[in-house]
Amino acid sequence: MADPAQILRERTADAWFDLAVQRTDVLLLDHANCEKKAASTALALMFSYPEDFDLAARMSKLAREELRHFELVQQRLAELGVPFRRLSPSRYAEGLRRALRREEPGRRVDLLLCGALIEARSHERFMGLIARLPAPLAEFYASLAAAESRHAGLYQRLAARGGLDIGPRLGELAAVEAELATAPDAQFRFHSGTPS
Amino acid sequence: MADPAQILRERTADAWFDLAVQRTDVLLLDHANCEKKAASTALALMFSYPEDFDLAARMSKLAREELRHFELVQQRLAELGVPFRRLSPSRYAEGLRRALRREEPGRRVDLLLCGALIEARSHERFMGLIARLPAPLAEFYASLAAAESRHAGLYQRLAARGGLDIGPRLGELAAVEAELATAPDAQFRFHSGTPS
């Protein structure tokens, strides 16, 4: 399988990883939120395009996998005794949402391409975390990483169905994504930018 | 396991089952919608009460099961060659929603009790369908029925956590549910009333 990071325009800064290693409590709490949100995004696609059985079947399976990951992250939080707290979301998802085209069929393509970018960014950060975190957490992230990579490929293939050339639009959205993931950011989250 | 139908105030009319057997296309199409909606309702509880790890873990697992059922219903629709069409929702879910208390902690209890009632009604209808449908579809519903029964019990136990006496409120909501499921209804859906 191709490295999903190939579609990302910028690599995550080392400073983000340095902070993540120090703030594993926030990392895991926000990671749980992200898995839940990923399931909800897949479900939203099923509700928006119910006539597309192929899309619905794939999104349903993907949502089940995200939910399973959510359960595993929650178990890890419980094992580590991390007290729950509500975290405000990062600017990332909202920033991508603003870049979506409003009209069909563009909106659907954009939703799928953003799905690919989010999964690719998650995979890139997982890989960096695996290299830097202590063994138990590194192994945990290693156990989840393959799915993110598969999901990134799935979203790209779904966007490209019917022979659509997704290259130009993917490039535009990747530029937005890269800015959100790497511009200075006062907040630390799973998808936050470079610590400012 | 206790029969989940014990919490229902009224049995589904034979006339509903008679119509369901004639309209298996609408039955299956709306059943797919219901499984998707059940997953989305479980996810909504996870987003509303994220501090409750036990609730979140159980709702996540339940949502995965509903999604798996959705996939199976979709496969069955494809095998039978039922053409997709969008169906307006029945009055059932909206009618239950209107009965929910607005303030916490009552709202949460009501959401869980409505979850129990919906699963119990679904189980009751599955059992009636199993007795009336031709073998392939009857076997299909038989394969799904145990989960609905388990889910009804799970929702009741979650509502009763902390020793809460759920009896009186369950009775009130069961009366609303029974009216929605049995009063004359011009529309046929998985949770519609008695055909008028």
Side-chain angles (χ1 to χ4, degrees), chain A residues 71-135:
Chain A
E71 292 161 37
L72 294 170
V73 179
Q74 255 209 174
Q75 278 171 24
R76 191 53 50 118
L77 282 163
E79 283 161 19
L80 294 172
V82 177
F84 174 80
R85 59 184 192 277
R86 287 194 188 232
L87 295 175
S88 55
S90 65
R91 66 189 181 193
Y92 185 77
E94 173 58 20
L96 284 171
R97 203 192 57 75
R98 276 201 304 270
L100 298 171
R101 282 174 286 178
R102 301 264 168 270
E103 304 295 324
E104 297 296 353
R107 186 170 185 82
R108 174 201 185 107
V109 172
D110 284 6
L111 284 166
L112 295 167
L113 292 177
C114 281
L117 288 163
I118 296 168
E119 298 283 348
R121 178 64 64 189
S122 302
H123 183 260
E124 185 231 14
R125 294 197 171 177
F126 278 23
M127 298 309 284
L129 288 167
I130 292 164
R132 291 170 174 90
L133 286 170

Side-chain angles (χ1 to χ4, degrees), chain A residues 48 53 60 64 71 74, chain B residues 53 60 64 67 71 74 86:
Chain A
S48 295
F53 275 30
S60 182
R64 287 195 286 117
E71 292 161 37
Q74 255 209 174
Chain B
F53 274 31
S60 181
R64 287 195 286 117
L67 288 167
E71 292 160 37
Q74 256 210 174
R86 287 194 188 232

Side-chain angles (χ1 to χ4, degrees), chain B residues 78-152:
Chain B
E79 284 162 18
L80 296 171
V82 177
F84 175 80
R85 59 184 193 276
R86 287 194 188 232
L87 296 175
S88 55
S90 64
R91 66 189 181 191
Y92 185 77
E94 174 58 20
L96 284 172
R97 203 194 56 75
R98 275 202 303 271
L100 298 172
R101 282 174 285 178
R102 300 264 169 268
E103 305 294 323
E104 298 296 354
R107 186 171 184 81
R108 175 203 185 108
V109 171
D110 285 5
L111 284 165
L112 295 167
L113 292 178
C114 282
L117 288 163
I118 296 168
E119 299 283 346
R121 179 64 64 189
S122 303
H123 182 260
E124 185 231 14
R125 295 199 169 177
F126 278 21
M127 298 309 284
L129 288 167
I130 292 164
R132 289 168 174 91
L133 285 170
L137 270 181
E139 282 163 23
F140 177 62
Y141 277 101
S143 74
L144 304 181
E148 310 294 307
S149 174
R150 260 191 292 109
H151 295 170

Side-chain angles (χ1 to χ4, degrees), chain A residues 26-40:
Chain A
V26 173
L27 183 77
L28 284 165
L29 283 166
D30 196 50
H31 181 183
N33 291 339
C34 290
E35 297 285 2
K36 199 162 56 176
K37 185 65 170 53
S40 140

